[in-house]
Amino acid sequence: MPAGGTPDLEFEAMYGPQFAKKFVNDYLSVELPKRLIKYRNYWGVTNADIPDPEQVIGYEPMALDRWPSIITVSISGQRFERVGYMKYGDPEYNVTYAMRTYVWIRTEGPEETTVMRDRYMVVVRSALMDHPCLKRYSAERLALIEESSINEQYSELTLLKGDRFLGGGYIGYDLRIEEAIVREKFADLLEVEIIKEKAKIGEELS
């Protein structure tokens, strides 16, 4: 939608990596607090053992100063597969983005930090793999995480001041989103050419 204006109902923009990050980030912001309650009850732990995230963001901050932090970034656009056509022959694509969702934890003690990090990774992974929830959050365009692409990496712990430790990890995955291009219609292009020709004629007569 144009800033301060009304949406152009005849135009559909491609989403791109900005939307890929926002889609996952908005979904996790809503889903994680609810999912954490279920996992706390299952594990028999409290909010102190696995607290709600302090921030869920779609960019890499200059410094980490809030914990737990959930950060989703887009690494690359990998595949652009044409899957069909919309009205007037506008093409539709499945666009695949390589994504990473980072989990950063800080707490006291190496064991406590490791356990909290590992538990958070499970909760975030379960949210990302919950395809019905992911699709239900935004029904406008199908977004699907390819299960076979999911991989996890865990960092070593970093000792901070006051016997506090920083631990992290990330979940890598491919996110496939339906996107479309609305091409210029032939009649619109013809009208533009006619206007240009009239302008040239007017200049020659003046």
Side-chain angles (χ1 to χ4, degrees), residues 24 27-28 31-32 35-36 39 43 70 101-103 117-131 133-134 145-147 149-154 170-173:
V24 176
Y27 166 71
L28 291 177
E31 181 64 23
L32 284 180
R35 197 168 291 258
L36 281 166
Y39 273 87
W43 286 321
I70 309 298
T101 295
Y102 290 87
V103 174
R117 187 270 314 277
D118 291 350
R119 285 173 171 167
Y120 239 101
M121 293 288 287
V122 170
V123 176
V124 173
R125 181 211 299 162
S126 72
L128 293 173
M129 294 181 70
D130 193 346
H131 297 168
C133 285
L134 197 59
I145 290 175
E146 302 284 359
E147 290 179 318
S149 70
I150 294 175
N151 64 91
E152 297 184 7
Q153 298 288 332
Y154 315 105
Y170 72 78
I171 302 172
Y173 52 93

Side-chain angles (χ1 to χ4, degrees), residues 159-187:
L159 177 62
L160 305 174
K161 294 181 180 180
D163 197 32
R164 290 176 176 260
F165 289 82
L166 176 67
Y170 72 78
I171 302 172
Y173 52 93
D174 290 345
L175 177 67
R176 176 163 51 86
I177 302 178
E178 291 180 344
E179 301 192 31
I181 296 177
V182 175
R183 292 172 169 168
E184 292 291 342
K185 307 301 182 292
F186 177 76

Side-chain angles (χ1 to χ4, degrees), residues 36-191:
L36 281 166
I37 293 174
K38 296 178 181 178
Y39 273 87
R40 289 189 199 107
N41 293 335
Y42 176 76
W43 286 321
V45 298
T46 66
N47 189 73
D49 298 306
I50 180 168
D52 287 343
E54 284 292 319
Q55 62 178 0
V56 181
I57 57 177
Y59 62 92
E60 296 183 77
M62 293 295 295
L64 283 172
D65 54 7
R66 300 174 66 185
W67 297 274
S69 286
I70 309 298
I71 303 169
T72 296
V73 296
S74 178
I75 304 301
S76 65
Q78 293 190 318
R79 291 185 298 277
F80 299 81
E81 177 188 4
R82 183 179 295 181
V83 294
Y85 296 88
M86 301 190 303
K87 189 177 181 182
Y88 304 120
D90 296 322
E92 290 183 298
Y93 297 87
N94 279 336
V95 181
T96 301
Y97 299 93
M99 309 289 292
R100 286 182 184 176
T101 295
Y102 290 87
V103 174
W104 290 104
I105 300 294
R106 187 194 71 171
T107 191
E108 295 182 358
E111 181 179 1
E112 292 83 354
T113 304
T114 301
V115 170
M116 185 184 295
R117 187 270 314 277
D118 291 350
R119 285 173 171 167
Y120 239 101
M121 293 288 287
V122 170
V123 176
V124 173
R125 181 211 299 162
S126 72
L128 293 173
M129 294 181 70
D130 193 346
H131 297 168
C133 285
L134 197 59
K135 288 185 287 187
R136 193 164 57 240
Y137 182 71
S138 178
E140 180 182 358
R141 282 289 180 186
L142 177 66
L144 182 69
I145 290 175
E146 302 284 359
E147 290 179 318
S148 61
S149 70
I150 294 175
N151 64 91
E152 297 184 7
Q153 298 288 332
Y154 315 105
S155 72
E156 297 181 355
L157 300 186
T158 301
L159 177 62
L160 305 174
K161 294 181 180 180
D163 197 32
R164 290 176 176 260
F165 289 82
L166 176 67
Y170 72 78
I171 302 172
Y173 52 93
D174 290 345
L175 177 67
R176 176 163 51 86
I177 302 178
E178 291 180 344
E179 301 192 31
I181 296 177
V182 175
R183 292 172 169 168
E184 292 291 342
K185 307 301 182 292
F186 177 76
D188 295 337
L189 294 174
L190 184 60
E191 182 179 356

